[in-house]
Amino acid sequence: MRETSSLTLVGKALSHPLRERMLWMLGEGERCGCEFAPELGVDPSIVSRYLGILERAGLLTSRREGVRVMWQLADPQLLDVLEQLGELTKEKVA
Amino acid sequence: MRETSSLTLVGKALSHPLRERMLWMLGEGERCGCEFAPELGVDPSIVSRYLGILERAGLLTSRREGVRVMWQLADPQLLDVLEQLGELTKEKVA
DNA sequence: TGTTACATTACGCATTATTGCAATAATCAT
DNA sequence: ATGATTATTGCAATAATGCGTAATGTAACA
């Protein structure tokens, strides 16, 4: 591993099925971090780590609201772009 | 790691700065695999592995031409989408 | 202060990825 | 068949990630 460009960071963040799923969950709107663990069936510590990875990649932003941290997509267009990326890389099977 | 959806695969493929660079090199047009090693300063075996990773992620396609293998982007729009993704994840610094 | 709820971080270990080198494969020309 | 060029794969060492558990933070409130 040499350096880490921004797209590389985004790639790393997307490199995990649960993190990808978390992005889609946020497509429906802002969420409290505490909602992910039960829905994904993982420990809250993992959720916190994943959210941090997605945030540092520039995919998410957050704001604190009392004891909770609310998360949202960094940009509303984000899922559209990711969907396009999915389409363009889908094999055109015969 | 649980399962591997298509976007997850794409993410993994993008998760390396040299692989990302190879994509941009291909934005200028089709290339022989043999051109990458000297330009990137790595062993040809690494180039071969990286190209395979990018191909399996659906980002590239290839065709053999004699002793060479020629590589191209799976879709001409790909770099546009990646560029958009880069823009959307760029921090809006104050 | 003590308690409760949510969030984050630290540590250790298992898993996976990366990479250099050597060996093997594929194609073509002589 | 031999040799030249490009490509791929196997193996072993090293590096990076993932994850479970436990510990620590942070905010609200009685």
Side-chain angles (χ1 to χ4, degrees):
Chain A
M1 198 78 28
R2 319 224 155 177
E3 45 176 322
T4 301
S5 89
S6 67
L7 244 197
T8 301
L9 249 191
V10 173
K12 281 181 195 293
L14 295 175
S15 297
H16 194 293
L18 283 186
R19 286 196 293 263
E20 190 191 331
R21 224 173 119 195
M22 290 166 82
L23 285 182
W24 294 100
M25 285 172 69
L26 287 170
E28 300 160 16
E30 190 180 56
R31 269 174 191 263
C32 169
C34 61
E35 294 179 55
F36 292 95
E39 182 151 345
L40 299 175
V42 298
D43 195 87
S45 70
I46 292 195
V47 168
S48 180
R49 279 193 275 241
Y50 287 178
L51 288 169
I53 290 171
L54 291 166
E55 181 179 46
R56 284 188 292 279
L59 290 159
L60 299 186
T61 59
S62 67
R63 67 190 174 84
R64 213 176 234 279
E65 190 171 289
V67 75
R68 322 188 143 189
V69 177
M70 305 299 291
W71 295 86
Q72 52 276 142
L73 294 175
D75 192 294
Q77 292 189 270
L78 214 89
L79 296 188
D80 297 331
V81 173
L82 290 181
E83 196 163 353
Q84 278 186 68
L85 184 56
E87 287 302 318
L88 295 185
T89 55
K90 190 168 294 175
E91 328 227 354
K92 295 83 179 176
V93 186
Chain B
M1 196 81 24
R2 318 228 156 177
E3 43 177 321
T4 302
S5 90
S6 67
L7 245 198
T8 301
L9 248 191
V10 173
K12 279 182 195 293
L14 294 175
S15 297
H16 194 293
L18 285 185
R19 286 196 293 264
E20 188 191 332
R21 226 174 117 195
M22 290 165 82
L23 284 182
W24 293 100
M25 285 172 69
L26 286 170
E28 299 160 15
E30 190 180 55
R31 270 175 190 262
C32 168
C34 61
E35 294 179 56
F36 292 95
E39 183 151 344
L40 300 176
V42 298
D43 195 86
S45 71
I46 292 193
V47 168
S48 178
R49 279 193 267 245
Y50 286 178
L51 288 168
I53 289 171
L54 291 167
E55 181 179 44
R56 284 188 293 279
L59 291 159
L60 300 185
T61 60
S62 66
R63 66 188 176 85
R64 209 172 238 280
E65 190 171 287
V67 74
R68 322 186 143 190
V69 177
M70 306 299 292
W71 295 86
Q72 53 275 143
L73 295 174
D75 191 294
Q77 291 187 270
L78 228 125
L79 296 188
D80 296 332
V81 173
L82 290 182
E83 196 163 353
Q84 279 185 67
L85 185 56
E87 288 302 319
L88 295 184
T89 54
K90 190 169 293 172
E91 329 227 352
K92 295 84 180 174
V93 187

